[in-house]
Amino acid sequence: MVKKLTGLTLSIMMTTVLAACGAANDSANGGETTGASSNAAANVNANANETASAPAEKIKIKYWYAFGEKIEEAKQHLVQEFNASQDKYEVVAEHQGNYDDLHAKVQAAFAAGDAPAVTDLEIASTGVFARSGMLQELTEYAERDKDELQLDDFNKGLMGNAYVDGKLFGLPFMRSTPILYKNVTMLKEAGLDPAGPKTWGELEEYSRVLKEKGKLGMTVPADIWFYEGLVAQSGGQMLSDDGKSVLFNSPEGVEPVAFWKKLATEKLIKIPVGDEAGATADKDFANQLSAFKFASTAGVTGTLEIAKANGFEMETAFMPSNKSYGVPTGGCQLVMTSKSSDEEKEAAWAFIKFMTTKENTIYQHKHVGYLPTRMSAVESEEMQEHFKQFPQYKVAFDQLEYARPRPMETAYPEVAKLIREAIEKAILTPDVEPKAALDEAADKANKLLAK
Amino acid sequence: MTTAWDKLRPYGMVAPAIIIFSLFFIYPIFYMIYLSLFDWNFVSPTKSFVGIQNFRDLLTDADFRKVLSNTTIYTIMTVTLTTVLALLLALWLNRKGILHGFVQGAIFSPHIISLVSISLLWSWLMDPEYGLMNWVIGLFGFGKLAWLSHPGTSLISLVIVAVWKGVGYNTLVFIAGLQSIPGDIYEAAALDRSKPWTTFMKLILPMLSPTIFFLVIINMLGSFQVFETIAIMTQGGPINSTNTLVYYIYENGFRFFKIGYASAAGVILLGIVGVLTLVYFRLLSKRVHYR
């Protein structure tokens, strides 16, 4: 019985399908009535009219970005502006987590042949991505549109990570340096000069006074980015110039860890470790437990809001100097992936150009706090006025004078992990000497870099 | 009379399952074994054949040994704690009553929550400065614990989360196991004036052994492949104290772009899990009381 029923249903379905096909063929074959054919003609005309008035089909490309809140607001806003500014291209922006998440996803998507045409890329990873052929070289595009692009207008201090082996791969987008955030109210209450520490020695003195008041000097995660800054301030380098060996276990590299360890052991500063370390530093600063924090200039707008809500005065300053001032740059640039079609690449290039214009770098700077990437933007009246009104925003730009690019070696992400572990080990384990921990990491790192 | 259709039909019926299984399980396994012999970053057009170099590197890498020992310690602690706690809870909850129903529901609820949410929740609970956990133990006069942010306590903190999540499900399975023990055996034991402890050791445990066997295996396989909590709560740190095998594979493959190396670690994970499963089925099945 069941079988029979199935047979019946099947045959019915087959008939229906076949009949439908037949009908379709009929009308396609030239129509039985004049009415039908005139209808078809009318349809063709209507289509033609549509194509004349509006472009056939917008070229749609994907843009992947990192981070939420203010940063995301700014990126989404710029994408909307771009889509509204022209009718050839449409950019679909998709949030992908933090930089590490974003990089992992772009790589997987690229392997699967479904990469976004444009993506944010953390500057230190430009080397890995470019050398493995995932990025489209931009040199020709930049040459073709040089009048419009004004490549020279970008701040020199930010272009170091835009080139890999002499070829242009990205344009500076939301770029940063770490800066010192100060809770001026706490300093005044502790009877300290609100100007804040200019040197490591002063940072220590400030912290001693703050400790007596039951507070902390600063909460600082053992972050590779801050460490790069402290090494630069001590006059050292992370890697040798050819990138084949490490230099962070030199005295200039050991000094920052020894300094951190000393201050942490005396409980003058707190060094949280682990995934939540950055969040802990933010919380301690927001709750006025610590008077200082190191953080990206991307946090200026957000921290100003927090300071206002929690009733304290916040200012920013250079990271204190040891032998000299010095900071790494950070943040992301916009890059184009290499496997898109030529049309998509044109769309991507138009989008990248739009995102990095003078007007838009001013917008993202004011909305988030990232650096203004173009000199013409910095010199503009709008910006000078803004700097005057909120000097907190200007520090990161002034500090660029002492900035250096981040290492871009293929093995650097792994080297960075080794360094972070060595710092954690030196700080969390009382009897481990900073030098010994860094030497151990240097041995492993040298093997990775030599490959 | 058998037609060709009769012969082919079973194959047709299992085909969808087999195709999906081959595509998403069998093929990736062989592809992983293939990749483990190469030095490749997943995207560059050329991959270079390196033979067993990846395995040699892995076995001489002190970090990898640390990762293996972390994984083993994590697995042993999680499986033991989950199983023992769940058994005790099941013995207590295996009766009717409003309180028992409520407790059963309460401890089961973590099982249906996404592990990502749980990880975020516990990250906050275990915050050394502002977390609820430190406040609670502070009430009892204990000092603050570092939880996830010190290598001494980080792994056990992750075990606590895993046990918290897993114990409800395990309890439920144990209760089902307890209820399937026929009542007349208890009656016989009572007639023989068996003491509760004797009843437990000589009656309940043997009758429950299939359940225990099942739970130990699935808990162990699950713990060996722990990933989400680590990716969200610790990222393997501090100082590699919570880096486990699957996170290590992910880290090498997708953070450091070393697919060959990561695949080699994957092959080793496959080997370990495979051997463990075999050993368990061989050895334990002899001691398991099947009815």
Side-chain angles (χ1 to χ4, degrees):
Chain A
M1 182 63 196
V2 175
K3 262 187 192 169
K4 268 185 193 163
L5 257 184
T6 332
L8 194 66
T9 350
L10 250 178
S11 57
I12 291 173
M13 280 173 64
M14 294 287 272
T15 338
T16 331
V17 171
L18 283 175
C21 288
N25 280 339
D26 275 356
S27 59
N29 279 344
E32 302 148 59
T33 61
T34 39
S37 57
S38 69
N39 265 346
N43 279 340
V44 170
N45 277 342
N47 282 340
N49 284 343
E50 262 171 43
T51 32
S53 60
E57 186 82 348
K58 279 190 180 180
I59 296 163
K60 230 180 184 181
I61 57 167
K62 276 190 291 183
Y63 159 52
W64 284 5
Y65 64 90
F67 296 126
E69 299 187 24
K70 293 255 171 251
I71 301 173
E72 178 167 31
E73 282 169 28
K75 287 173 181 169
Q76 287 282 7
H77 172 81
L78 288 172
V79 168
Q80 277 170 14
E81 295 252 294
F82 175 74
N83 287 335
S85 72
Q86 42 73 46
D87 51 15
K88 269 173 84 181
Y89 312 120
E90 188 184 343
V91 172
V92 181
E94 286 165 7
H95 175 263
Q96 303 293 350
N98 62 26
Y99 286 140
D100 282 342
D101 301 334
L102 171 74
H103 295 166
K105 287 181 194 173
V106 171
Q107 183 213 25
F110 189 87
D114 191 26
V118 183
T119 175
D120 286 353
L121 189 65
E122 199 279 325
I123 53 169
S125 296
T126 320
V128 188
F129 276 70
R131 288 192 199 100
S132 55
M134 291 165 71
L135 302 187
Q136 170 67 38
E137 192 189 334
L138 301 178
T139 318
E140 276 176 32
Y141 290 90
E143 185 59 31
R144 190 187 72 195
D145 294 346
K146 62 180 175 218
D147 295 334
E148 185 194 350
L149 183 65
Q150 298 289 342
L151 204 55
D152 291 342
D153 188 29
F154 285 107
N155 192 314
K156 292 273 172 303
L158 299 176
M159 293 306 286
N161 289 102
Y163 293 91
V164 177
D165 306 327
K167 296 174 193 158
L168 182 70
F169 279 102
L171 291 184
F173 178 43
M174 293 210 179
R175 297 294 308 274
S176 60
T177 67
I179 50 176
L180 178 72
Y181 288 76
K182 303 178 288 187
N183 181 334
V184 176
T185 310
M186 266 175 84
L187 297 186
K188 283 181 186 157
E189 275 167 12
L192 289 158
D193 180 1
K198 297 270 184 294
T199 63
W200 288 16
E202 285 177 27
L203 177 65
E204 188 177 338
E205 286 161 26
Y206 269 79
S207 302
R208 272 186 209 290
V209 176
L210 286 158
K211 189 196 170 189
E212 278 166 26
K213 309 276 177 193
K215 304 284 184 180
L216 283 164
M218 83 190 305
T219 307
V220 55
D223 191 283
I224 182 75
W225 200 41
F226 303 148
Y227 175 70
E228 282 173 18
L230 267 70
V231 172
Q233 290 148 24
S234 309
Q237 258 175 276
M238 301 298 291
L239 307 180
S240 63
D241 288 330
D242 64 358
K244 295 274 182 239
S245 58
V246 301
L247 294 175
F248 61 75
N249 59 337
S250 65
E252 294 86 7
V254 175
E255 203 183 343
V257 183
F259 179 64
W260 270 350
K261 179 167 183 160
K262 179 182 156 213
L263 266 57
T265 315
E266 294 184 41
K267 304 229 182 295
L268 300 174
I269 64 169
K270 181 164 108 186
I271 302 187
V273 296
D275 197 35
E276 290 290 302
T280 306
D282 288 341
K283 278 184 263 182
D284 284 358
F285 187 77
N287 292 324
Q288 310 204 53
L289 190 69
S290 316
F292 305 114
K293 71 168 179 177
F294 289 151
S296 161
T297 181
V300 172
T301 306
T303 313
L304 274 174
E305 280 171 13
I306 286 168
K308 201 175 163 198
N310 292 2
F312 65 87
E313 210 184 320
M314 190 279 281
E315 282 176 14
T316 59
F318 284 10
M319 283 177 92
S321 72
N322 185 16
K323 287 200 180 70
S324 68
Y325 288 117
V327 281
T329 59
C332 66
Q333 43 199 357
L334 286 173
V335 297
M336 205 191 284
T337 56
S338 59
K339 287 226 177 107
S340 317
S341 70
D342 287 346
E343 266 182 339
E344 287 166 339
K345 281 180 186 168
E346 284 303 330
W349 175 241
F351 178 62
I352 292 176
K353 274 190 299 186
F354 175 87
M355 297 293 269
T356 53
T357 57
K358 176 184 156 192
E359 289 71 32
N360 287 335
T361 195
I362 295 176
Y363 163 77
Q364 58 90 17
H365 167 75
K366 283 167 101 173
H367 193 85
V368 188
Y370 278 113
L371 289 163
T373 54
R374 285 177 178 271
M375 297 312 286
S376 58
V378 177
E379 286 150 11
S380 70
E381 248 172 66
E382 182 184 2
M383 203 60 137
Q384 291 298 331
E385 190 55 38
H386 185 245
F387 280 163
K388 230 175 267 167
Q389 206 179 343
F390 302 102
Q392 291 94 338
Y393 285 86
K394 191 166 185 283
V395 167
F397 171 74
D398 290 341
Q399 201 181 217
L400 267 185
E401 188 187 330
Y402 304 99
R404 50 175 73 186
R406 296 195 68 194
M408 291 197 289
E409 273 59 34
T410 307
Y412 194 66
E414 199 171 355
V415 171
K417 188 201 165 197
L418 290 171
I419 297 172
R420 196 191 71 213
E421 275 170 25
I423 299 175
E424 285 174 351
K425 202 177 196 173
I427 286 165
L428 293 175
T429 339
D431 53 350
V432 170
E433 288 296 322
K435 169 82 178 148
L438 287 171
D439 278 342
E440 195 190 328
D443 275 350
K444 289 186 196 164
N446 278 329
K447 278 185 205 132
L448 293 171
L449 289 167
K451 269 185 189 168
Chain B
M1 192 189 79
T2 57
T3 59
W5 171 238
D6 282 332
K7 272 189 189 156
L8 285 177
R9 192 169 52 192
Y11 297 101
M13 295 292 191
V14 297
I18 292 290
I19 289 169
I20 289 174
F21 185 72
S22 318
L23 217 57
F24 293 106
F25 292 91
I26 306 292
Y27 167 71
I29 286 177
F30 282 103
Y31 191 53
M32 175 177 77
I33 295 172
Y34 167 77
L35 282 182
S36 71
L37 304 175
F38 289 87
D39 179 14
W40 193 37
N41 67 3
F42 223 173
V43 289
S44 70
T46 53
K47 26 182 180 291
S48 49
F49 183 81
V50 292
I52 57 162
Q53 188 58 41
N54 284 329
F55 292 93
R56 223 178 268 159
D57 288 350
L58 266 177
L59 297 175
T60 52
D61 186 355
D63 283 349
F64 185 66
R65 282 197 293 274
K66 174 81 179 155
V67 163
L68 280 183
S69 86
N70 284 342
T71 316
T72 313
I73 294 169
Y74 174 88
T75 303
I76 291 173
M77 287 205 290
T78 308
V79 173
T80 319
L81 279 174
T82 312
T83 317
V84 170
L85 264 180
L87 183 55
L88 292 178
L89 281 168
L91 289 171
W92 174 51
L93 292 174
N94 186 23
R95 65 201 76 179
K96 295 229 159 28
I98 295 171
L99 176 70
H100 297 105
F102 173 75
V103 172
Q104 206 176 319
I107 59 168
F108 185 71
S109 62
H111 180 71
I112 55 170
I113 305 175
S114 144
L115 200 46
V116 174
S117 316
I118 287 177
S119 306
L120 288 171
L121 178 75
W122 278 89
S123 293
W124 296 332
L125 290 176
M126 288 175 166
D127 186 301
E129 202 64 51
Y130 311 97
L132 186 71
M133 298 287 279
N134 269 350
W135 180 75
V136 170
I137 62 172
L139 292 183
F140 294 97
F142 293 104
K144 282 180 178 172
L145 280 178
W147 297 108
L148 297 164
S149 46
H150 194 279
T153 48
S154 51
L155 198 60
I156 186 76
S157 303
L158 289 175
V159 170
I160 291 172
V161 178
V163 171
W164 181 79
K165 173 153 170 85
V167 79
Y169 171 75
N170 282 260
T171 307
L172 206 71
V173 176
F174 271 132
I175 290 176
L178 284 173
Q179 285 173 353
S180 68
I181 300 175
D184 44 6
I185 308 188
Y186 287 111
E187 278 170 27
L191 279 177
D192 287 340
R193 296 191 177 180
S194 152
K195 294 194 184 80
W197 178 246
T198 320
T199 311
F200 176 72
M201 291 303 288
K202 294 274 162 74
L203 195 163
I204 297 180
L205 264 193
M207 293 299 282
L208 266 187
S209 55
T211 314
I212 299 176
F213 173 58
F214 165 73
L215 285 177
V216 164
I217 285 195
I218 61 157
N219 286 340
M220 200 177 62
L221 294 180
S223 307
F224 234 94
Q225 297 169 48
V226 57
F227 175 74
E228 291 97 328
T229 47
I230 291 165
I232 290 163
M233 298 174 75
T234 67
Q235 312 218 312
I239 327 176
N240 258 338
S241 60
T242 58
N243 204 345
T244 58
L245 207 42
V246 177
Y247 187 76
Y248 186 77
I249 293 170
Y250 167 77
E251 195 177 40
N252 275 288
F254 292 97
R255 291 267 145 96
F256 309 147
F257 303 107
K258 301 197 297 192
I259 288 295
Y261 192 75
S263 299
V267 171
I268 291 178
L269 173 67
L270 180 73
I272 292 173
V273 171
V275 167
L276 275 178
T277 315
L278 273 181
V279 166
Y280 259 85
F281 271 104
R282 280 284 160 92
L283 280 185
L284 281 186
S285 65
K286 286 182 185 156
R287 302 197 182 182
V288 173
H289 165 89
Y290 282 108
R291 272 159 292 161

